[in-house]
Amino acid sequence: MPDREPGTSAAAPDHAVNQAEHDAVWALCATLPAKQRAAVVLRYYEDLPDAEIAVILDCSPSTVRSQIHRALASLRTTIETEEVQR
């Protein structure tokens, strides 16, 4: 019998790894301009639709979409750059 707690799976993710990834994402989000960061947080952490985000940020829904698009592009570039440097 494996040395495992009852009710746990051998494939269960390590909580420390999940927390480290969560912290890394927050650190990356902190580098975004304020409007982009707000749009990303409202979309992906608060799960709000574009129309509600637009009301909160006092802009149009298309501006919300473009802010999120730019933010995600910036985050992708940052992640790719960090991976190349490793």
Side-chain angles (χ1 to χ4, degrees), residues 34-74:
K35 286 225 177 203
Q36 289 180 11
R37 183 174 55 248
V40 167
V41 168
L42 292 170
R43 162 76 63 78
Y44 295 105
Y45 287 91
E46 299 297 327
D47 201 28
L48 296 179
D50 293 345
E52 286 184 44
I53 297 169
V55 169
I56 293 167
L57 297 181
D58 192 30
C59 62
S60 69
S62 62
T63 299
V64 168
R65 288 189 293 276
S66 69
Q67 291 290 338
I68 291 170
H69 176 78
R70 289 182 186 132
L72 294 178
S74 176

Side-chain angles (χ1 to χ4, degrees), residues 8-48:
T8 61
S9 164
D14 184 1
H15 179 70
V17 171
N18 287 344
Q19 187 61 44
E21 289 174 355
H22 181 265
D23 292 346
V25 169
W26 271 113
L28 285 175
C29 284
T31 67
L32 293 171
K35 286 225 177 203
Q36 289 180 11
R37 183 174 55 248
V40 167
V41 168
L42 292 170
R43 162 76 63 78
Y44 295 105
Y45 287 91
E46 299 297 327
D47 201 28
L48 296 179

